[in-house]
Structure formats: C-alpha cells, structure tokens
mmCIF file of all heavy atoms in Angstrom:
data_model
loop_
_atom_site.group_PDB
_atom_site.id
_atom_site.type_symbol
_atom_site.label_atom_id
_atom_site.label_comp_id
_atom_site.label_asym_id
_atom_site.label_seq_id
_atom_site.Cartn_x
_atom_site.Cartn_y
_atom_site.Cartn_z
ATOM 1 N N LEU A 1 24.867 -19.950 -35.060
ATOM 2 C CA LEU A 1 24.327 -19.487 -33.788
ATOM 3 C C LEU A 1 23.956 -18.016 -33.876
ATOM 4 O O LEU A 1 24.575 -17.257 -34.620
ATOM 5 C CB LEU A 1 25.359 -19.697 -32.684
ATOM 6 C CG LEU A 1 25.770 -21.143 -32.434
ATOM 7 C CD1 LEU A 1 26.888 -21.179 -31.412
ATOM 8 C CD2 LEU A 1 24.590 -21.944 -31.941
ATOM 9 N N SER A 2 22.982 -17.644 -33.125
ATOM 10 C CA SER A 2 22.607 -16.234 -33.094
ATOM 11 C C SER A 2 23.622 -15.457 -32.255
ATOM 12 O O SER A 2 24.291 -16.004 -31.385
ATOM 13 C CB SER A 2 21.201 -16.067 -32.526
ATOM 14 O OG SER A 2 21.157 -16.542 -31.213
ATOM 15 N N GLU A 3 23.682 -14.180 -32.524
ATOM 16 C CA GLU A 3 24.641 -13.338 -31.817
ATOM 17 C C GLU A 3 24.171 -13.112 -30.388
ATOM 18 O O GLU A 3 22.985 -12.847 -30.149
ATOM 19 C CB GLU A 3 24.767 -11.993 -32.529
ATOM 20 C CG GLU A 3 25.747 -11.051 -31.892
ATOM 21 C CD GLU A 3 25.794 -9.718 -32.618
ATOM 22 O OE1 GLU A 3 25.426 -9.675 -33.808
ATOM 23 O OE2 GLU A 3 26.184 -8.739 -31.994
ATOM 24 N N TYR A 4 25.098 -13.219 -29.430
ATOM 25 C CA TYR A 4 24.749 -13.021 -28.023
ATOM 26 C C TYR A 4 24.751 -11.542 -27.701
ATOM 27 O O TYR A 4 25.714 -10.839 -27.965
ATOM 28 C CB TYR A 4 25.745 -13.752 -27.120
ATOM 29 C CG TYR A 4 25.541 -13.446 -25.656
ATOM 30 C CD1 TYR A 4 24.485 -13.993 -24.954
ATOM 31 C CD2 TYR A 4 26.386 -12.580 -24.988
ATOM 32 C CE1 TYR A 4 24.279 -13.707 -23.624
ATOM 33 C CE2 TYR A 4 26.196 -12.275 -23.654
ATOM 34 C CZ TYR A 4 25.136 -12.842 -22.975
ATOM 35 O OH TYR A 4 24.935 -12.537 -21.659
ATOM 36 N N ARG A 5 23.668 -11.080 -27.154
ATOM 37 C CA ARG A 5 23.570 -9.698 -26.696
ATOM 38 C C ARG A 5 23.156 -9.727 -25.229
ATOM 39 O O ARG A 5 22.144 -10.339 -24.894
ATOM 40 C CB ARG A 5 22.522 -8.942 -27.493
ATOM 41 C CG ARG A 5 22.904 -8.704 -28.906
ATOM 42 C CD ARG A 5 21.866 -7.847 -29.600
ATOM 43 N NE ARG A 5 21.965 -8.056 -31.029
ATOM 44 C CZ ARG A 5 20.960 -8.058 -31.867
ATOM 45 N NH1 ARG A 5 19.753 -7.854 -31.422
ATOM 46 N NH2 ARG A 5 21.158 -8.261 -33.139
ATOM 47 N N PRO A 6 23.922 -9.073 -24.368
ATOM 48 C CA PRO A 6 23.522 -9.069 -22.954
ATOM 49 C C PRO A 6 22.228 -8.290 -22.760
ATOM 50 O O PRO A 6 21.936 -7.348 -23.500
ATOM 51 C CB PRO A 6 24.696 -8.390 -22.248
ATOM 52 C CG PRO A 6 25.380 -7.604 -23.307
ATOM 53 C CD PRO A 6 25.145 -8.331 -24.598
ATOM 54 N N LEU A 7 21.463 -8.695 -21.785
ATOM 55 C CA LEU A 7 20.204 -8.018 -21.501
ATOM 56 C C LEU A 7 20.476 -6.650 -20.889
ATOM 57 O O LEU A 7 21.456 -6.466 -20.172
ATOM 58 C CB LEU A 7 19.376 -8.857 -20.531
ATOM 59 C CG LEU A 7 18.877 -10.190 -21.068
ATOM 60 C CD1 LEU A 7 18.207 -10.972 -19.949
ATOM 61 C CD2 LEU A 7 17.911 -9.976 -22.203
ATOM 62 N N PRO A 8 19.607 -5.687 -21.160
ATOM 63 C CA PRO A 8 19.795 -4.378 -20.525
ATOM 64 C C PRO A 8 19.555 -4.493 -19.023
ATOM 65 O O PRO A 8 18.879 -5.426 -18.559
ATOM 66 C CB PRO A 8 18.727 -3.503 -21.199
ATOM 67 C CG PRO A 8 17.697 -4.462 -21.668
ATOM 68 C CD PRO A 8 18.432 -5.725 -22.008
ATOM 69 N N PRO A 9 20.087 -3.566 -18.246
ATOM 70 C CA PRO A 9 19.859 -3.649 -16.805
ATOM 71 C C PRO A 9 18.367 -3.470 -16.496
ATOM 72 O O PRO A 9 17.652 -2.814 -17.250
ATOM 73 C CB PRO A 9 20.691 -2.495 -16.241
ATOM 74 C CG PRO A 9 20.894 -1.568 -17.386
ATOM 75 C CD PRO A 9 20.894 -2.412 -18.618
ATOM 76 N N PRO A 10 17.909 -4.042 -15.403
ATOM 77 C CA PRO A 10 16.487 -3.907 -15.071
ATOM 78 C C PRO A 10 16.163 -2.459 -14.715
ATOM 79 O O PRO A 10 17.036 -1.698 -14.305
ATOM 80 C CB PRO A 10 16.325 -4.831 -13.854
ATOM 81 C CG PRO A 10 17.686 -4.948 -13.288
ATOM 82 C CD PRO A 10 18.628 -4.841 -14.425
ATOM 83 N N PRO A 11 14.919 -2.057 -14.894
ATOM 84 C CA PRO A 11 14.556 -0.674 -14.561
ATOM 85 C C PRO A 11 14.667 -0.431 -13.060
ATOM 86 O O PRO A 11 14.512 -1.341 -12.252
ATOM 87 C CB PRO A 11 13.089 -0.575 -15.027
ATOM 88 C CG PRO A 11 12.610 -1.980 -15.019
ATOM 89 C CD PRO A 11 13.790 -2.837 -15.354
ATOM 90 N N VAL A 12 14.949 0.809 -12.725
ATOM 91 C CA VAL A 12 15.056 1.172 -11.317
ATOM 92 C C VAL A 12 13.654 1.282 -10.741
ATOM 93 O O VAL A 12 12.792 1.950 -11.292
ATOM 94 C CB VAL A 12 15.804 2.518 -11.171
ATOM 95 C CG1 VAL A 12 15.846 2.940 -9.725
ATOM 96 C CG2 VAL A 12 17.189 2.401 -11.740
ATOM 97 N N ILE A 13 13.423 0.590 -9.662
ATOM 98 C CA ILE A 13 12.116 0.611 -9.007
ATOM 99 C C ILE A 13 12.312 1.210 -7.624
ATOM 100 O O ILE A 13 13.137 0.723 -6.840
ATOM 101 C CB ILE A 13 11.524 -0.805 -8.902
ATOM 102 C CG1 ILE A 13 11.322 -1.374 -10.293
ATOM 103 C CG2 ILE A 13 10.215 -0.787 -8.117
ATOM 104 C CD1 ILE A 13 10.931 -2.824 -10.306
ATOM 105 N N ARG A 14 11.589 2.283 -7.343
ATOM 106 C CA ARG A 14 11.686 2.889 -6.028
ATOM 107 C C ARG A 14 10.754 2.129 -5.094
ATOM 108 O O ARG A 14 9.544 2.201 -5.218
ATOM 109 C CB ARG A 14 11.282 4.353 -6.059
ATOM 110 C CG ARG A 14 11.440 5.001 -4.726
ATOM 111 C CD ARG A 14 11.184 6.480 -4.821
ATOM 112 N NE ARG A 14 11.272 7.026 -3.497
ATOM 113 C CZ ARG A 14 10.284 7.640 -2.889
ATOM 114 N NH1 ARG A 14 9.161 7.834 -3.505
ATOM 115 N NH2 ARG A 14 10.437 8.089 -1.667
ATOM 116 N N ALA A 15 11.353 1.373 -4.212
ATOM 117 C CA ALA A 15 10.564 0.585 -3.275
ATOM 118 C C ALA A 15 11.134 0.781 -1.879
ATOM 119 O O ALA A 15 12.338 0.939 -1.704
ATOM 120 C CB ALA A 15 10.598 -0.889 -3.648
ATOM 121 N N ASP A 16 10.283 0.809 -0.920
ATOM 122 C CA ASP A 16 10.704 0.966 0.466
ATOM 123 C C ASP A 16 10.938 -0.392 1.089
ATOM 124 O O ASP A 16 10.178 -1.330 0.861
ATOM 125 C CB ASP A 16 9.632 1.717 1.270
ATOM 126 C CG ASP A 16 9.491 3.152 0.827
ATOM 127 O OD1 ASP A 16 10.553 3.777 0.619
ATOM 128 O OD2 ASP A 16 8.379 3.634 0.692
ATOM 129 N N LYS A 17 11.993 -0.476 1.868
ATOM 130 C CA LYS A 17 12.274 -1.696 2.597
ATOM 131 C C LYS A 17 11.295 -1.774 3.761
ATOM 132 O O LYS A 17 11.208 -0.863 4.577
ATOM 133 C CB LYS A 17 13.712 -1.678 3.101
ATOM 134 C CG LYS A 17 14.113 -2.927 3.829
ATOM 135 C CD LYS A 17 15.538 -2.816 4.317
ATOM 136 C CE LYS A 17 15.879 -4.009 5.174
ATOM 137 N NZ LYS A 17 17.164 -3.836 5.841
ATOM 138 N N LEU A 18 10.563 -2.866 3.839
ATOM 139 C CA LEU A 18 9.531 -3.006 4.863
ATOM 140 C C LEU A 18 9.978 -3.974 5.950
ATOM 141 O O LEU A 18 10.616 -4.985 5.670
ATOM 142 C CB LEU A 18 8.236 -3.528 4.250
ATOM 143 C CG LEU A 18 7.561 -2.618 3.238
ATOM 144 C CD1 LEU A 18 6.383 -3.321 2.615
ATOM 145 C CD2 LEU A 18 7.137 -1.332 3.864
ATOM 146 N N ASN A 19 9.613 -3.656 7.179
ATOM 147 C CA ASN A 19 9.793 -4.565 8.298
ATOM 148 C C ASN A 19 8.421 -5.179 8.544
ATOM 149 O O ASN A 19 7.523 -4.526 9.066
ATOM 150 C CB ASN A 19 10.294 -3.799 9.529
ATOM 151 C CG ASN A 19 10.512 -4.703 10.716
ATOM 152 O OD1 ASN A 19 10.155 -5.876 10.698
ATOM 153 N ND2 ASN A 19 11.111 -4.155 11.751
ATOM 154 N N TYR A 20 8.251 -6.434 8.173
ATOM 155 C CA TYR A 20 6.927 -7.047 8.224
ATOM 156 C C TYR A 20 6.472 -7.358 9.646
ATOM 157 O O TYR A 20 5.287 -7.458 9.906
ATOM 158 C CB TYR A 20 6.920 -8.322 7.371
ATOM 159 C CG TYR A 20 7.111 -8.029 5.920
ATOM 160 C CD1 TYR A 20 8.314 -8.272 5.293
ATOM 161 C CD2 TYR A 20 6.087 -7.466 5.182
ATOM 162 C CE1 TYR A 20 8.492 -7.973 3.949
ATOM 163 C CE2 TYR A 20 6.249 -7.170 3.838
ATOM 164 C CZ TYR A 20 7.453 -7.431 3.234
ATOM 165 O OH TYR A 20 7.626 -7.127 1.923
ATOM 166 N N GLN A 21 7.410 -7.498 10.580
ATOM 167 C CA GLN A 21 7.012 -7.767 11.961
ATOM 168 C C GLN A 21 6.473 -6.515 12.628
ATOM 169 O O GLN A 21 5.487 -6.561 13.347
ATOM 170 C CB GLN A 21 8.197 -8.323 12.742
ATOM 171 C CG GLN A 21 8.616 -9.695 12.263
ATOM 172 C CD GLN A 21 9.883 -10.184 12.939
ATOM 173 O OE1 GLN A 21 10.633 -9.396 13.489
ATOM 174 N NE2 GLN A 21 10.115 -11.474 12.886
ATOM 175 N N ALA A 22 7.139 -5.389 12.402
ATOM 176 C CA ALA A 22 6.698 -4.137 13.027
ATOM 177 C C ALA A 22 5.730 -3.359 12.147
ATOM 178 O O ALA A 22 5.193 -2.343 12.571
ATOM 179 C CB ALA A 22 7.911 -3.261 13.345
ATOM 180 N N GLN A 23 5.514 -3.819 10.916
ATOM 181 C CA GLN A 23 4.646 -3.135 9.949
ATOM 182 C C GLN A 23 5.085 -1.683 9.765
ATOM 183 O O GLN A 23 4.287 -0.762 9.834
ATOM 184 C CB GLN A 23 3.182 -3.196 10.401
ATOM 185 C CG GLN A 23 2.619 -4.578 10.482
ATOM 186 C CD GLN A 23 2.545 -5.254 9.131
ATOM 187 O OE1 GLN A 23 2.148 -4.647 8.160
ATOM 188 N NE2 GLN A 23 2.942 -6.500 9.066
ATOM 189 N N ALA A 24 6.386 -1.463 9.545
ATOM 190 C CA ALA A 24 6.931 -0.119 9.402
ATOM 191 C C ALA A 24 7.878 -0.073 8.218
ATOM 192 O O ALA A 24 8.358 -1.098 7.747
ATOM 193 C CB ALA A 24 7.666 0.280 10.677
ATOM 194 N N PHE A 25 8.158 1.137 7.751
ATOM 195 C CA PHE A 25 9.107 1.353 6.666
ATOM 196 C C PHE A 25 10.510 1.430 7.259
ATOM 197 O O PHE A 25 10.850 2.403 7.925
ATOM 198 C CB PHE A 25 8.811 2.659 5.928
ATOM 199 C CG PHE A 25 7.509 2.660 5.200
ATOM 200 C CD1 PHE A 25 6.406 3.298 5.733
ATOM 201 C CD2 PHE A 25 7.387 2.030 3.980
ATOM 202 C CE1 PHE A 25 5.208 3.313 5.053
ATOM 203 C CE2 PHE A 25 6.196 2.035 3.293
ATOM 204 C CZ PHE A 25 5.105 2.674 3.829
ATOM 205 N N ASP A 26 11.336 0.433 7.013
ATOM 206 C CA ASP A 26 12.717 0.471 7.513
ATOM 207 C C ASP A 26 13.550 1.496 6.775
ATOM 208 O O ASP A 26 14.438 2.116 7.348
ATOM 209 C CB ASP A 26 13.376 -0.907 7.382
ATOM 210 C CG ASP A 26 12.967 -1.845 8.496
ATOM 211 O OD1 ASP A 26 12.354 -1.372 9.469
ATOM 212 O OD2 ASP A 26 13.261 -3.040 8.391
ATOM 213 N N SER A 27 13.292 1.696 5.485
ATOM 214 C CA SER A 27 14.098 2.632 4.722
ATOM 215 C C SER A 27 13.856 4.068 5.169
ATOM 216 O O SER A 27 14.734 4.904 5.063
ATOM 217 C CB SER A 27 13.790 2.488 3.239
ATOM 218 O OG SER A 27 12.421 2.732 3.010
ATOM 219 N N VAL A 28 12.672 4.368 5.656
ATOM 220 C CA VAL A 28 12.371 5.716 6.116
ATOM 221 C C VAL A 28 12.892 5.932 7.532
ATOM 222 O O VAL A 28 13.441 6.976 7.860
ATOM 223 C CB VAL A 28 10.848 5.978 6.057
ATOM 224 C CG1 VAL A 28 10.495 7.299 6.684
ATOM 225 C CG2 VAL A 28 10.376 5.942 4.627
ATOM 226 N N PHE A 29 12.764 4.923 8.367
ATOM 227 C CA PHE A 29 13.093 5.097 9.767
ATOM 228 C C PHE A 29 14.539 4.774 10.108
ATOM 229 O O PHE A 29 14.953 4.961 11.230
ATOM 230 C CB PHE A 29 12.165 4.231 10.627
ATOM 231 C CG PHE A 29 10.754 4.719 10.625
ATOM 232 C CD1 PHE A 29 9.807 4.106 9.844
ATOM 233 C CD2 PHE A 29 10.370 5.803 11.371
ATOM 234 C CE1 PHE A 29 8.501 4.551 9.818
ATOM 235 C CE2 PHE A 29 9.079 6.260 11.353
ATOM 236 C CZ PHE A 29 8.130 5.642 10.577
ATOM 237 N N SER A 30 15.326 4.283 9.167
ATOM 238 C CA SER A 30 16.699 3.942 9.501
ATOM 239 C C SER A 30 17.542 5.205 9.640
ATOM 240 O O SER A 30 17.462 6.106 8.807
ATOM 241 C CB SER A 30 17.283 3.024 8.425
ATOM 242 O OG SER A 30 17.297 3.691 7.187
ATOM 243 N N ASP A 31 18.336 5.266 10.691
ATOM 244 C CA ASP A 31 19.247 6.379 10.973
ATOM 245 C C ASP A 31 18.544 7.723 11.080
ATOM 246 O O ASP A 31 19.126 8.755 10.814
ATOM 247 C CB ASP A 31 20.337 6.466 9.907
ATOM 248 C CG ASP A 31 21.189 5.222 9.872
ATOM 249 O OD1 ASP A 31 21.274 4.552 10.913
ATOM 250 O OD2 ASP A 31 21.751 4.927 8.823
ATOM 251 N N ARG A 32 17.322 7.741 11.466
ATOM 252 C CA ARG A 32 16.586 8.992 11.646
ATOM 253 C C ARG A 32 15.777 8.917 12.920
ATOM 254 O O ARG A 32 15.407 7.861 13.388
ATOM 255 C CB ARG A 32 15.617 9.243 10.490
ATOM 256 C CG ARG A 32 16.264 9.559 9.181
ATOM 257 C CD ARG A 32 15.211 10.099 8.231
ATOM 258 N NE ARG A 32 15.768 10.297 6.925
ATOM 259 C CZ ARG A 32 16.355 11.412 6.540
ATOM 260 N NH1 ARG A 32 16.463 12.413 7.357
ATOM 261 N NH2 ARG A 32 16.842 11.522 5.326
ATOM 262 N N ASP A 33 15.476 10.085 13.413
ATOM 263 C CA ASP A 33 14.544 10.181 14.517
ATOM 264 C C ASP A 33 13.159 9.808 13.982
ATOM 265 O O ASP A 33 12.798 10.228 12.871
ATOM 266 C CB ASP A 33 14.554 11.622 15.047
ATOM 267 C CG ASP A 33 13.696 11.777 16.270
ATOM 268 O OD1 ASP A 33 14.171 11.425 17.360
ATOM 269 O OD2 ASP A 33 12.549 12.239 16.126
ATOM 270 N N PRO A 34 12.376 9.039 14.706
ATOM 271 C CA PRO A 34 11.053 8.628 14.185
ATOM 272 C C PRO A 34 10.131 9.801 13.875
ATOM 273 O O PRO A 34 9.344 9.735 12.937
ATOM 274 C CB PRO A 34 10.484 7.766 15.312
ATOM 275 C CG PRO A 34 11.665 7.289 16.067
ATOM 276 C CD PRO A 34 12.701 8.358 15.958
ATOM 277 N N THR A 35 10.245 10.883 14.616
ATOM 278 C CA THR A 35 9.399 12.049 14.336
ATOM 279 C C THR A 35 9.816 12.708 13.034
ATOM 280 O O THR A 35 8.968 13.102 12.223
ATOM 281 C CB THR A 35 9.473 13.053 15.497
ATOM 282 O OG1 THR A 35 9.094 12.393 16.705
ATOM 283 C CG2 THR A 35 8.558 14.232 15.267
#
C-alpha cells in the first residue's frame, strides 16, 4: 500500500458573508452601525 499522507489545509479565502434576501454584506454590517 502507498503511504498515507494527510492533505494540507485548504487555502484561506477572504470572502464576505452575504445576505441574499437583503442583498447586503452580513460580515461588514454585523455588530456595527450601518454608517
């Protein structure tokens, strides 16, 4: 059998959490004043 090697962790992707109903960035607007 071949030697088992665990896969490296996936690359970090900077992505914003989107609210598709309100068409807004939840990650930007969470716990902040909208302005």
Side-chain angles (χ1 to χ4, degrees):
L1 298 175
S2 61
E3 181 182 337
Y4 173 75
R5 291 185 202 145
L7 294 174
V12 177
I13 298 172
R14 183 174 177 241
D16 293 317
K17 182 181 174 189
L18 296 174
N19 181 352
Y20 294 105
Q21 293 174 341
Q23 297 295 317
F25 294 102
D26 280 349
S27 59
V28 173
F29 291 101
S30 62
D31 298 334
R32 291 193 185 271
D33 185 80
T35 303

